[in-house]
Amino acid sequence: MSSPKSATVEPVNPDLAPIEQQAAGFEAVREARRSETAEDYVELIDDLIKAMGEARVVDVAARMGVSHATVNRILARLSKEGLVNTQPYRSIFLTEAGADLAQQSRERHRIVVEFLCALGIDEATAERDAEGIEHYVSTETIEAFQTWTGKLAK
Amino acid sequence: MSSPKSATVEPVNPDLAPIEQQAAGFEAVREARRSETAEDYVELIDDLIKAMGEARVVDVAARMGVSHATVNRILARLSKEGLVNTQPYRSIFLTEAGADLAQQSRERHRIVVEFLCALGIDEATAERDAEGIEHYVSTETIEAFQTWTGKLAK
DNA sequence: TGTACAATGTAGCCTAGGCTACACATTGTG
DNA sequence: CACAATGTGTAGCCTAGGCTACATTGTACA
Ligand SMILES: [Mn+2]
Ligand SMILES: [Mn+2]
Ligand SMILES: [Mn+2]
Ligand SMILES: [Mn+2]
C-alpha cells in the first residue's frame, strides 16, 4: 500500500505460522472436502438399503434435500470412481469399496455424535454438527473423541 | 430392484431419521460450506495486515496454497459481498464487515484449537483439524468447547 | 389391458473455486 | 534512467454440485 513494498523473501514479523505448513493445512482441508460428498452419499445409500431394502434416486434426493437431477449427476461420478453400481431405472447398489467407505463413514459419524452428546450437546444439534465435522477429523482426533466419550460418561 | 416398488409415501422401516430433518441437516452443512472460503480468507488477510502491515495477493496465495489467479477470483467475490476493498495493484483491505467476520473467525478457530489441545491432541494436528472443523460447529457446541477446555485443563 | 402417474434420465444453465498462460504495472537496482 | 524482476490482472479451460425443464421408462390400478 503506502510504503515501499518489501522483498518477497520472508516476514519482518512475528506470530505467523510457517508458510508451507499453513498451505499444507488448507490443502488438507480441500482434500477432505473432495471426499465429503462421496462419504455422505454412500452412507445414506447404505442406510436406505438396510432400512428399506433398496436405495432409490428419489429417496436419496429427498433425504439429501437436493433435486433428483443432482443425485443422478453425483451417482455418475461415484460410479466412475467405483463406489456404486447403477443400471438405468434400477435402484442403487454399493460396490465393495462403496460398502467399506459407507461403514467407515457411519462409524466416524457415530463417534462424533456420541462425543458431542457426552459433552452435553443435545442430540439434534450433535447430529447436525457431526454431519459437517465428521469429514474433517483426523484419526488422532477421532481416537481422542472415543477415549473421552468413555471418560466423560462417568 | 427385484421386488415391486412400494408407494412413495413413507418407509415400512425402522431407525431412519425423519426425512425433512435429515434434509435440513445436509442443507445446513451446504450453507456452512458456502461461508467457509470467505471466513478463511478474511481471517488470513487480517493476520497478514496485523503481522506484516499489509496483505498482498501473492502472500495470500502462498499461505492458502493456491495460485494468485485463484486469489484474485475469490477477492472479486468477497469485494462484491462487501467484505474487502481492493484497488488495482494495491494491497487488500478489509471492510468493517470483513474485519468483524475475521475477528469472529479467528475467535472460533482459537476456541476449537484450544479445545482439541485440551483433549490431548498435539498442536499441529489440532491446528489442522480446526481449520476444517471450525466452519461446522454450532454456537452451542462452541460454547460447550469453551466450557470443557477450562474443566479439562484441571 | 390401457393408461395415468411416479420415477428416472438428460440437456442446458449457473456459481464456486481450481489451474495455466500470457499481458501489464510497479519497483528496486545497476 | 532504464530495465529486469516481481507482483498483479485476466482470459480461457476444467470439475463439482446446484437448478429447471423436458423426455423416457416402469408400475399400479381402473
Ligand atoms: Mn457428513
Ligand atoms: Mn454422515
Ligand atoms: Mn478454516
Ligand atoms: Mn481458520
Side-chain angles (χ1 to χ4, degrees):
Chain A
M1 59 158 305
S2 39
S3 51
K5 305 202 171 178
S6 62
T8 252
V9 284
E10 253 308 85
V12 175
N13 79 85
D15 52 41
L16 278 183
I19 295 182
E20 296 75 16
Q21 183 181 315
Q22 190 169 16
F26 283 119
E27 176 52 42
V29 173
R30 287 192 294 272
E31 174 61 29
R33 191 156 46 212
R34 259 168 247 139
S35 355
E36 199 173 332
T37 306
E39 291 171 8
D40 285 338
Y41 272 74
V42 296
E43 187 186 344
L44 175 55
I45 289 165
D46 201 38
D47 286 344
L48 287 170
I49 292 173
K50 282 186 163 67
M52 313 217 286
E54 63 176 352
R56 302 185 309 163
V57 171
V58 72
D59 294 322
V60 171
R63 298 198 102 92
M64 292 299 291
V66 299
S67 74
H68 81 274
T70 295
V71 172
N72 271 331
R73 161 153 328 186
I74 288 170
L75 288 177
R77 174 169 80 85
L78 299 185
S79 173
K80 202 165 53 184
E81 292 173 0
L83 295 171
V84 305
N85 284 322
T86 59
Q87 298 120 2
Y89 298 99
R90 302 279 89 132
S91 74
I92 310 155
F93 293 90
L94 294 175
T95 63
E96 209 175 302
D100 287 353
L101 181 58
Q103 179 151 0
Q104 288 169 232
S105 301
R106 176 184 301 110
E107 182 67 1
R108 224 171 351 144
H109 188 114
R110 207 209 73 227
I111 291 168
V112 175
V113 171
E114 285 178 2
F115 174 71
L116 293 177
C117 286
L119 238 41
I121 310 290
D122 70 285
E123 193 166 330
T125 305
E127 191 61 57
R128 279 194 167 218
D129 286 14
E131 199 56 78
I133 292 174
E134 58 179 354
H135 310 284
Y136 301 95
V137 284
S138 59
T139 307
E140 299 92 299
T141 299
I142 273 292
E143 279 167 11
F145 280 10
Q146 259 181 311
T147 302
W148 280 97
T149 298
K151 293 189 189 175
L152 292 172
K154 280 183 286 193
Chain B
M1 58 160 302
S2 40
S3 52
K5 307 203 171 176
S6 61
T8 252
V9 285
E10 253 309 87
V12 175
N13 79 84
D15 51 41
L16 279 185
I19 296 181
E20 295 76 16
Q21 183 181 317
Q22 191 169 14
F26 283 119
E27 177 52 41
V29 172
R30 286 192 295 272
E31 174 61 29
R33 190 153 52 212
R34 260 168 246 138
S35 355
E36 199 173 334
T37 306
E39 291 171 8
D40 285 339
Y41 272 73
V42 296
E43 189 186 343
L44 175 55
I45 289 165
D46 201 39
D47 285 345
L48 288 170
I49 292 174
K50 283 187 164 67
M52 313 217 286
E54 63 176 352
R56 301 186 310 163
V57 171
V58 71
D59 294 321
V60 172
R63 298 198 102 92
M64 292 298 296
V66 300
S67 72
H68 81 275
T70 295
V71 172
N72 271 330
R73 159 150 332 182
I74 288 170
L75 288 177
R77 175 168 80 84
L78 299 185
S79 172
K80 201 166 56 181
E81 292 173 0
L83 294 171
V84 305
N85 284 322
T86 60
Q87 296 119 3
Y89 297 97
R90 302 279 88 134
S91 74
I92 310 155
F93 293 89
L94 294 176
T95 62
E96 209 177 301
D100 287 353
L101 182 58
Q103 178 152 358
Q104 288 169 230
S105 300
R106 175 183 303 109
E107 182 67 3
R108 223 173 351 146
H109 188 112
R110 205 208 76 226
I111 292 169
V112 174
V113 170
E114 286 179 1
F115 174 72
L116 292 176
C117 286
L119 238 41
I121 310 292
D122 70 286
E123 193 166 330
T125 306
E127 192 60 58
R128 279 194 166 219
D129 285 15
E131 199 57 78
I133 292 174
E134 58 179 353
H135 310 284
Y136 301 96
V137 284
S138 58
T139 307
E140 298 93 299
T141 299
I142 273 291
E143 281 168 10
F145 279 11
Q146 260 181 309
T147 301
W148 280 98
T149 298
K151 293 190 190 176
L152 292 172
K154 280 183 284 191

